[in-house]
Amino acid sequence: MTQMLEMPRVQTCSVTQCGYNHDGCTAFAITIGSRNSECDTFVDSADKGGMGKALAQVGACKRAECVHNTDLECHAPAIVVGESGDAADCLTYEAK
């Protein structure tokens, strides 16, 4: 299992309608889903949640076919989340 300090950061998130995004992703960790690389942590809400600081990390990734994925954990140095097929997708996803 990846150690906490080695988890990739969410470098940027441009999905402003997410309750965790206030000047960056403030969730403690996010999960990338298996369909369209969607951010499973996305919350369509005007309420603001999270830690208050943009320090989110990738806790889990369900896209086993991504080049950055080993044992359902992301090993990219950092990821970018943005609007794509779903409300918020991992734009760093790259098929093997």
Side-chain angles (χ1 to χ4, degrees):
M1 180 159 79
T2 303
Q3 295 296 318
M4 186 72 141
L5 296 174
E6 298 173 13
M7 293 169 64
R9 295 269 180 213
V10 177
Q11 184 175 359
T12 61
C13 178
S14 60
V15 184
T16 56
Q17 70 269 31
C18 181
Y20 286 109
N21 188 351
H22 21 143
D23 298 321
C25 184
T26 62
F28 181 72
I30 68 166
T31 297
I32 301 300
S34 56
R35 186 181 54 120
N36 296 331
S37 304
E38 74 273 18
C39 178
D40 279 351
T41 311
F42 170 79
V43 177
D44 189 359
S45 175
D47 294 333
K48 296 298 179 186
M51 304 181 315
K53 294 182 180 180
L55 299 172
Q57 304 168 86
V58 181
C61 178
K62 299 177 186 176
R63 293 300 302 258
E65 74 285 356
C66 179
V67 298
H68 303 292
N69 190 318
T70 304
D71 300 326
L72 299 178
E73 293 187 4
C74 182
H75 292 276
I79 70 160
V80 173
V81 176
E83 295 186 36
S84 187
D86 293 312
D89 290 346
C90 176
L91 303 180
T92 307
Y93 168 79
E94 187 179 335
K96 289 182 182 177

